[in-house]
Amino acid sequence: MFALPDPSVLLAYTAACLVLFITPGPDMSLFLSRTLSGGRRHGMAAMLGAMTGCLIHTLVAALGLSALIAASQTGFAVLKIVGALYLLWLAWDALKNGSALRLKQEAVDTPVWRTFLVGIGINLTNPKIVLFFVTFLPQFVDPADPHAAGQLVGLGLYFVLITSPPAAVMILGAERLIGLLARRPRVMRAVDVLFASVFALFALRIAVAQSR
């Protein structure tokens, strides 16, 4: 049921996952905001909720994409091209608008389990995450591979596995991280440029592979 691609493909996927992780968005904003407002317990609860949301996205995307592979490999190839265009848009958006780190420091008087549910909700209702899982995962899977469905699930689970430890470290050092970003805005801009470069290269790689 679970499978991973070749080591070279997995290495490229790992790099993409880590670049995506360090690029601020709604999930990171929630982690840091809840950590500052309610302490590390709330930060961890928000993070676990978001990762649970990622697992749900993974299973739904894997089921849908597996059905698409079975129905039409041409349709799957078209989805990969659409995915390449989406990656280019993400790269352009990062350069034009910058990272979406929005911190709200307010008193938290809700139980930890509710923060966990908020994390799930924000993750599941973020359209960018939905599009990411539907268009990004297929880039690392060969539809002709008999284990393609298992690889889709495996890659989604691997994303959670590889990003959870640095997320926990980020929460533990939330105050220092926020202070660094406030003192050195160029760090955030460097992250934006790195994100845009990596995802533009992925889009170019997909375009070249599909043209052959």
Side-chain angles (χ1 to χ4, degrees):
M1 182 177 179
F2 306 113
L4 289 173
D6 295 336
S8 59
V9 176
L10 185 61
L11 182 61
Y13 180 73
T14 301
C17 288
L18 293 176
V19 170
L20 178 68
F21 168 77
I22 65 173
T23 304
D27 285 345
M28 183 181 290
S29 297
L30 178 65
F31 302 163
L32 296 178
S33 294
R34 288 306 171 98
T35 301
L36 292 177
S37 302
R40 292 173 178 173
R41 289 179 61 206
H42 281 273
M44 290 293 184
M47 184 266 287
L48 291 175
M51 293 305 174
T52 301
C54 287
L55 291 177
I56 296 173
H57 281 304
T58 293
L59 295 178
V60 173
L63 288 173
L65 294 173
S66 297
L68 179 60
I69 292 173
S72 171
Q73 290 195 12
T74 301
F76 189 76
V78 171
L79 180 63
K80 295 183 78 169
I81 295 174
V82 172
L85 295 175
Y86 178 61
L87 294 179
L88 280 177
W89 180 83
L90 286 178
W92 168 250
D93 186 62
L95 290 177
K96 181 181 179 182
N97 299 318
S99 302
L101 184 62
R102 304 289 184 268
L103 299 180
K104 296 181 180 180
Q105 189 169 357
E106 53 190 20
V108 175
D109 56 359
T110 57
V112 173
W113 64 266
R114 188 167 294 177
T115 298
F116 172 78
L117 294 179
V118 170
I120 295 178
I122 287 181
N123 185 275
L124 290 181
T125 56
N126 185 348
K128 283 189 176 183
I129 296 179
V130 176
L131 288 171
F132 175 80
F133 273 91
V134 172
T135 59
F136 186 68
L137 291 184
Q139 315 305 336
F140 299 89
V141 174
D142 182 358
D145 191 322
H147 303 293
Q151 287 185 10
L152 287 169
V153 176
L155 287 174
L157 296 177
Y158 182 77
F159 174 83
V160 173
L161 179 66
I162 200 70
T163 57
S164 292
V169 172
M170 178 187 68
I171 291 169
L172 294 176
E175 292 184 357
R176 291 185 178 182
L177 175 62
I178 293 170
L180 171 65
L181 296 179
R183 292 192 307 271
R184 300 183 180 180
R186 290 185 179 181
V187 172
M188 190 74 76
R189 190 57 183 166
V191 171
D192 292 333
V193 173
L194 176 63
F195 175 89
S197 301
V198 170
F199 279 76
L201 286 174
F202 271 115
L204 180 62
R205 172 179 172 271
I206 294 164
V208 171
Q210 294 298 320
S211 65
R212 291 176 180 175

